[in-house]
Amino acid sequence: MMLTQADDFLAESEILHTAIASLSDSELRQTTQFKGWTIEDVLIHLHFWNTSADLSASDEAAFVARTGGAMASLKQTGSLRVFENDTITERGAALRSLWIETARDIAARWRDMDPKTRLPWVGPSMSARSSMTARQMETWAHGFEIFDLLGQTRVEGDRIKNIVILGVNTFAWSHQVHNLAAPTTVPKLTLAAPSGAVWIFGEEDSTITGSAADFAAVVTQTRALADTALRVHGDIAQTWMDNAQCFAGPPETPPAPGHRHRQNR
């Protein structure tokens, strides 16, 4: 059994790499619309957590030491940025090369891993499939601010289904992290895939209809709901979309309408 999500993670990484491959060191320090991060900051963050996920499968002691330091830094400073920056010291073109070459290496090794293998993580353990889906999701989500900055539209593929499923699977979490009672059933989702296929999830009378990419953008908080073409009907669906958060960590506020957008270049 192959871990196909490893190839999806790699495809996401390669698409992002193509977008930034020709940028100079100074261009890699351009500021995005995400919390003032530069492109370089995004690559540091992605490389830190890509390699952390890899350590979870190859060296648990090193993984625990690294993530323990990251969590201690978060508690002390309120941010992971200092610890990430101190751990990943490469910058500019060297960082870009290290990030993509490492992603290629990880994908090549992980594709032969049993998808059900349990791996430690920050908090509960997760399957290898979930771990690699999280790496794809982070690459896709943080790639969004880079494509926006560069004024480019990313070409999506049906690999985005992994992120959609992650969004569905974190329905209860999205409520819990915001101190809301989680309904027992997920609203009915009817989503158009990039290929034109229709993906349906959930069973509740409350409904969400639109593109898979728009749904993924809302659950990753890369777009305000109002800036998408999603059609949301019913209180349960509305509350979910107002608070959707498919990633771990403290509660985060979605971007304000109009704040995250593709820039004109």
Side-chain angles (χ1 to χ4, degrees):
M1 183 182 296
M2 288 186 62
L3 181 59
T4 59
Q5 286 76 13
D7 289 326
D8 294 330
F9 157 70
L10 180 57
E12 213 67 71
S13 300
E14 294 285 10
I15 286 170
L16 178 56
H17 180 254
T18 297
I20 64 173
S22 63
L23 298 183
S24 66
D25 285 6
S26 62
E27 288 171 326
L28 289 170
R29 292 192 293 272
Q30 294 176 90
T31 302
T32 73
Q33 297 167 351
F34 178 74
K35 298 183 177 181
W37 285 24
T38 65
I39 298 174
E40 194 172 66
D41 293 331
V42 171
L43 296 181
I44 291 169
H45 178 76
L46 292 178
H47 184 65
F48 179 92
W49 291 103
N50 288 350
T51 51
S52 295
D54 199 35
L55 283 174
S56 76
S58 62
D59 190 337
E60 185 169 347
F63 167 79
V64 170
R66 177 191 272 203
T67 55
M71 293 305 104
S73 177
L74 177 63
K75 184 176 181 180
Q76 182 178 16
T77 68
S79 172
L80 293 168
R81 297 297 311 290
V82 173
F83 191 83
E84 291 176 354
N85 290 347
D86 287 347
T87 303
I88 309 301
T89 57
E90 291 80 5
R91 296 294 183 269
L95 170 65
R96 177 177 56 210
S97 295
L98 180 64
W99 158 70
I100 191 60
E101 289 168 5
T102 303
R104 291 166 180 161
D105 175 59
I106 290 172
R109 289 183 287 102
W110 277 58
R111 68 168 54 99
D112 295 324
M113 193 182 299
D114 183 344
K116 296 181 180 180
T117 299
R118 300 303 300 181
L119 299 170
W121 196 241
V122 181
S125 66
M126 64 172 71
S127 68
R129 177 187 288 113
S130 294
S131 180
M132 195 48 54
T133 295
R135 301 321 317 137
Q136 179 195 354
M137 179 274 293
E138 283 250 39
T139 304
W140 186 86
H142 284 293
F144 224 122
E145 60 240 32
I146 295 175
F147 281 99
D148 282 347
L149 172 65
L150 299 177
Q152 297 182 22
T153 300
R154 174 172 42 202
V155 177
E156 303 290 1
D158 280 8
R159 64 186 178 279
I160 202 173
K161 188 173 186 178
N162 297 322
I163 302 172
V164 169
I165 291 173
L166 181 62
V168 173
N169 289 345
T170 51
F171 172 73
W173 162 253
S174 292
H175 290 77
Q176 293 164 6
V177 73
H178 291 96
N179 295 316
L180 298 170
T184 56
T185 54
V186 177
K188 184 176 181 180
L189 286 166
T190 305
L191 303 174
S195 66
V198 176
W199 296 332
I200 298 176
F201 302 89
E203 55 187 282
E204 177 61 43
D205 289 340
S206 197
T207 63
I208 300 168
T209 306
S211 76
D214 274 352
F215 176 78
V218 172
V219 298
T220 58
Q221 295 190 0
T222 56
R223 283 289 186 272
L225 176 61
D227 293 333
T228 72
L230 288 179
R231 299 183 296 281
V232 180
H233 299 286
D235 291 342
I236 293 176
Q238 189 66 53
T239 298
W240 181 21
M241 291 293 93
D242 287 343
N243 297 278
Q245 178 174 327
C246 75
F247 47 87
E252 294 282 354
T253 303
H259 179 68
R260 299 284 298 273
H261 57 87
R262 187 171 67 253
Q263 297 179 236
N264 295 322
R265 304 288 288 192

